[in-house]
Amino acid sequence: MSYALTVDGLTVDFNGFKAVDNFTTTIDTGELRVILGPNGAGKTTLMDLISGKTTSTSGEVKLFGREITRLNEHQIARAGIGRKFQIPSIFRDLSVMQNLEVSASGEPSVFKNLKYSITQEEKQKIEEVIELTDLSDVLKSSAGDLSHGQMQWLELGMLITQDAKVILLDEPTAGMTKQETMKTADIIKKLKGKHTILVVEHDMAFVRDIAERITVMHLGKLLAEGDIDTIEKDEAVREAYLGSGGIH
Amino acid sequence: MVENRSLGQKLDWAVYITFFVVVLCLPLLTDDVFWLNRISKFLVFGLLGLAIALSWGYAGVLNLGQGLFFGLGAYMFAMSLKLKSTTSLQQGSDKPVPDFMVWNAEPGSPTELCCIVPGSWLWLPFQSQTFGMIMAIVLPIVVAFVVGSAIFRLRVSGVYVAIITLALVLLVRLLIIDAQPITNGFNGLTDLGWLELFGIEFDPYMYETYYLVAVSCCLIMLAARWLVSTRAGLILQSTRDDANRSRYLGYDVAAYQIFFFVVSAAIAGFAGMLYVVAAEFASPTFLDISFSISMVVWAAVGGRSSLIGAVIGAVLINSIEASVSETEIFKEAWKLIIGVIFIFVVLLLPRGIAGVARDFARWLEDKHLLSTSKRG
Ligand SMILES: Nc1ncnc2c1ncn2[C@@H]1O[C@H](COP(=O)(O)OP(=O)(O)OP(=O)(O)O)[C@@H](O)[C@H]1O
Ligand SMILES: [Mg+2]
């Protein structure tokens, strides 16, 4: 079984409204999958369901064959799923270094964390991430003082030090300048292969740059799946995007 | 670690060391035992400020009912000391019986702890001073664990935690007053005996007692500082900033909150015990809302995100209060003054005195860096 993530018949019912409706897909280990869909398609909700923020009504999620549907958020995280939010979610009052130290601890328990030491392995991971995200000049700054782009990279970096096998990215380039977007694409490309990545994006230039396979969602359902050319030619996709101005 | 020890950190240690030296040398400078006794009480209040800083500053949990744990610790230990009091031995029984129970007893009830008034048997194990000492810590821990588990597992946060803890301290205060036959109600437990440890009797107006309090205070400060600087302490601070982020990094946030809530309660309970040693009474006023709120003010003024800041805030405010209380006009105005100081601090100096000191250290550091880089 080489699937990193298996989503099978996943459904959530918000008082009669199915934000995600019988959604099924499989993602290969090391794959980079882009999820597209008009506003309100259920992309964020899908990530909420996978990461445990929202409890599904039916269906199941498997991580490397292991069922994780009913676990708590922190258990799902320890199982190997890392989540980046649409709005940067970092520890604003802690320094950049401290943010990374928190994310790097391989030890969830309170009592086992009653120590100063940081393992060689953790240290190395942190250094790799600093290099990757180019944050070495701001290690001592409060994370809250970073620029918008740096915050996004820090959050991304924390998922790597966390050692997430599968990374969920919700609109990682939202609010970024063109240059910042390019740098983000670079970071994500470097992660390809090492991590399995699921990314929601609206910016088509960005999507063309990074995408291999694309899944299109509409009204909570899977609308189409395939490489970028297939998706752009797909009639159903064109129609779904008609109201919101089409894919561009 | 990548980070070098900065000037800020050095300053922090310098403050700790200065504080310890001052506190431990104070008795060499004076033979006014009344004054020393007063300072030892302020140091106990310092521990309360520290307990607040731990939960409010580091965990982001504003506990407006910290007096509950202080009160429980104080009552548990005061029960043991009450039974050691000479008055308890003069009630016509060969075993100690608190005087107020005799006054409350139905005519004809036996003058025995087991059955003089309903519920008085609860006092039986407190004939052992060790039992009282253990309970002064264990009871706050157990209560904090139960309350904390309920609050944090349900993900209650912010102002709701403040309301729940406030309601709780009020409730327990009422229960204590209501159980008048075994708690002496409003009057509390007075006429206590002295703590006896390693063959030393701790007369509150002797140097030994001052040192007991001062050394305990210093040790707890060091232990708390160690605790917050461990990775668990760092993870706790992360939950304060963004609990969801911590969760999605794989931490059971509630476990961290409960652990530190319990530690904070244990410190308050221990402070309650020390206070009984120094002040020789326990009373329901320990569970007054105004007292719990005072603790928050001390921590806010000193700096809630600095443990030693909170301790110094508590000692400072209480010292000022004590000295102005000697003048009648100021005594009245004091509550107003402290209210104004609190508002001033919250609005303008959210990190308190410690924050000002840290900013100053950072400013010095920048200046230092600038001058060395010019030279180099
Ligand atoms: N907890 C909830 N209760 C009720 N409805 C919800 C809830 N969460 C999401 N929804 C609804 O589900 C639908 C899908 O929302 P979702 O945020 O997943 O869309 P999205 O694809 O991420 O959109 P966008 O591109 O705008 O981010 C929306 O109509 C939203 O209002
Ligand atoms: Mg969304």
Side-chain angles (χ1 to χ4, degrees):
Chain A
M1 163 119 25
S2 69
Y3 293 138
L5 196 68
T6 312
V7 177
D8 190 8
L10 205 59
T11 303
V12 65
D13 192 330
F14 295 125
N15 301 315
F17 172 69
K18 289 181 175 165
V20 170
D21 190 359
N22 197 17
F23 187 88
T24 300
T25 193
T26 51
I27 296 162
D28 286 336
T29 304
E31 186 183 343
L32 189 155
R33 173 76 58 92
V34 173
I35 299 189
L36 289 178
N39 290 110
K43 304 176 299 285
T44 299
T45 309
L46 176 67
M47 293 197 160
D48 289 347
L49 291 171
I50 295 173
S51 62
K53 187 170 189 223
T54 307
T55 313
S56 56
T57 316
S58 62
E60 59 173 26
V61 180
K62 281 186 184 165
L63 184 67
F64 297 104
R66 174 186 169 202
E67 159 111 45
I68 56 163
T69 326
R70 305 265 157 233
L71 300 183
N72 289 327
E73 297 103 314
H74 67 97
Q75 293 166 325
I76 292 178
R78 288 286 162 196
I81 289 191
R83 165 105 194 244
K84 195 188 156 317
F85 291 88
Q86 219 162 329
I87 303 160
S89 159
I90 49 172
F91 307 121
R92 290 170 168 269
D93 286 342
L94 302 186
S95 72
V96 169
M97 188 64 190
Q98 286 176 321
N99 270 267
L100 293 170
E101 277 175 33
V102 170
S103 62
S105 178
E107 188 50 71
S109 132
V110 183
F111 292 100
K112 290 191 179 149
N113 275 312
L114 289 176
K115 54 168 191 192
Y116 286 124
S117 65
I118 180 160
T119 66
Q120 203 55 41
E121 194 188 343
E122 289 166 346
K123 211 175 198 169
Q124 202 174 340
K125 255 193 313 190
I126 291 178
E127 256 143 40
E128 275 168 29
V129 166
I130 292 171
E131 169 118 19
L132 180 74
T133 53
D134 204 10
L135 289 170
S136 53
D137 291 339
V138 288
L139 287 180
K140 283 188 189 178
S141 316
S142 293
D145 293 339
L146 297 180
S147 72
H148 179 75
Q150 286 174 319
M151 285 187 195
Q152 300 274 29
W153 298 324
L154 174 60
E155 194 181 1
L156 195 58
M158 285 162 75
L159 305 186
I160 303 164
T161 41
Q162 177 195 348
D163 211 10
K165 305 283 181 292
V166 174
I167 294 181
L168 312 179
L169 304 174
D170 200 352
E171 307 200 19
T173 68
M176 281 191 174
T177 63
K178 219 181 182 87
Q179 261 178 334
E180 287 173 330
T181 304
M182 275 164 60
K183 186 164 162 186
T184 307
D186 278 344
I187 295 178
I188 292 177
K189 278 191 246 168
K190 278 186 198 155
L191 297 178
K192 249 194 217 180
K194 283 189 245 170
H195 300 261
T196 305
I197 304 171
L198 205 64
V199 49
V200 169
E201 245 321 324
H202 282 299
D203 182 338
M204 279 314 288
F206 178 78
V207 170
R208 283 195 192 92
D209 191 10
I210 63 163
E212 295 166 342
R213 267 176 88 77
I214 296 177
T215 296
V216 184
M217 276 184 94
H218 185 46
L219 303 175
K221 289 196 169 72
L222 186 133
L223 190 66
E225 207 163 84
D227 61 28
I228 190 146
D229 293 334
T230 324
I231 294 297
E232 275 179 320
K233 286 184 197 119
D234 193 294
E235 270 310 310
V237 173
R238 281 167 183 262
E239 220 158 282
Y241 268 94
L242 227 50
S244 54
I247 297 187
H248 21 230
Chain B
M1 205 92 326
V2 181
E3 230 169 298
N4 287 318
R5 179 156 290 184
S6 64
L7 193 65
Q9 263 175 318
K10 281 185 203 153
L11 178 97
D12 210 35
W13 274 116
V15 174
Y16 270 86
I17 291 166
T18 314
F19 181 85
F20 292 161
V21 169
V22 169
V23 163
L24 296 177
C25 292
L26 224 46
L28 307 177
L29 306 176
T30 178
D31 48 13
D32 183 348
V33 286
F34 290 95
W35 187 75
L36 274 182
N37 176 263
R38 190 182 256 182
I39 297 293
S40 62
K41 289 178 197 162
F42 296 166
L43 287 174
V44 172
F45 292 157
L47 287 180
L48 291 174
L50 180 139
I52 293 284
L54 198 58
S55 65
W56 188 25
Y58 283 84
V61 173
L62 178 55
N63 180 352
L64 281 187
Q66 195 72 354
L68 170 61
F69 305 122
F70 179 77
L72 289 178
Y75 266 91
M76 288 298 105
F77 192 54
M79 284 164 77
S80 273
L81 290 193
K82 180 71 186 171
L83 293 179
K84 291 183 86 178
S85 160
T86 44
T87 60
S88 301
L89 289 163
Q90 292 162 353
Q91 305 304 325
S93 160
D94 50 350
K95 291 268 176 59
V97 178
D99 47 7
F100 65 85
M101 288 189 189
V102 180
W103 308 331
N104 280 312
E106 297 272 342
S109 11
T111 313
E112 289 286 340
L113 208 46
C114 67
C115 26
I116 177 165
V117 289
S120 60
W121 57 269
L122 283 169
W123 279 66
L124 281 170
F126 288 90
Q127 292 174 70
S128 149
Q129 178 192 277
T130 316
F131 183 81
M133 284 173 93
I134 292 172
M135 284 304 284
I137 313 277
V138 169
L139 189 62
I141 286 179
V142 170
V143 173
F145 182 77
V146 172
V147 173
S149 298
I151 291 178
F152 299 121
R153 289 280 168 218
L154 292 174
R155 298 196 185 170
V156 176
S157 64
V159 71
Y160 298 100
V161 178
I163 293 170
I164 291 170
T165 47
L166 191 97
L168 215 64
V169 70
L170 269 185
L171 175 78
V172 174
R173 179 179 171 276
L174 279 180
L175 288 178
I176 289 177
I177 293 171
D178 220 43
Q180 203 262 342
I182 55 168
T183 61
N184 206 19
F186 275 113
N187 301 319
L189 304 176
T190 51
D191 278 326
L192 305 182
W194 290 340
L195 162 69
E196 226 183 301
L197 217 56
F198 314 119
I200 306 170
E201 284 213 304
F202 287 90
D203 173 344
Y205 297 98
M206 293 289 274
Y207 291 107
E208 289 90 330
T209 306
Y210 176 82
Y211 273 115
L212 176 75
V213 174
V215 171
S216 308
C217 182
C218 295
L219 290 179
I220 289 177
M221 284 167 73
L222 283 176
R225 194 192 145 91
W226 170 77
L227 208 55
V228 297
S229 59
T230 61
R231 296 191 88 181
L234 189 62
I235 294 164
L236 178 78
Q237 294 174 64
S238 85
T239 70
R240 169 201 65 198
D241 277 13
D242 190 335
N244 262 330
R245 181 27 82 215
S246 311
R247 278 189 196 107
Y248 292 109
L249 289 176
Y251 298 106
D252 181 3
V253 169
Y256 282 80
Q257 291 170 322
I258 294 167
F259 176 77
F260 281 90
F261 191 68
V262 166
V263 170
S264 159
I267 293 174
F270 187 79
M273 178 161 72
L274 284 182
Y275 194 76
V276 167
V277 176
E280 294 182 280
F281 75 99
S283 111
T285 55
F286 296 176
L287 290 96
D288 282 354
I289 287 186
S290 60
F291 186 50
S292 289
I293 290 178
S294 298
M295 299 175 201
V296 173
V297 175
W298 305 334
V301 170
R304 63 175 141 137
S305 51
S306 157
L307 298 177
I308 192 162
V311 175
I312 291 175
V315 175
L316 212 62
I317 292 182
N318 280 289
S319 305
I320 299 172
E321 181 173 356
S323 50
V324 299
S325 296
E326 277 157 19
T327 341
E328 201 52 46
I329 323 159
F330 277 126
K331 202 172 169 179
E332 289 305 307
W334 174 248
K335 288 221 162 67
L336 192 71
I337 296 170
I338 195 77
V340 171
I341 292 178
F342 182 61
I343 293 170
F344 173 79
V345 166
V346 167
L347 291 180
L348 298 176
L349 302 171
R351 295 180 303 135
I353 299 171
V356 175
R358 278 182 190 160
D359 287 345
F360 182 67
R362 182 158 297 172
W363 176 78
L364 275 183
E365 194 169 14
D366 288 347
K367 228 175 85 164
H368 180 73
L369 281 180
L370 217 64
S371 63
T372 45
S373 69
K374 261 184 205 154
R375 248 181 279 139

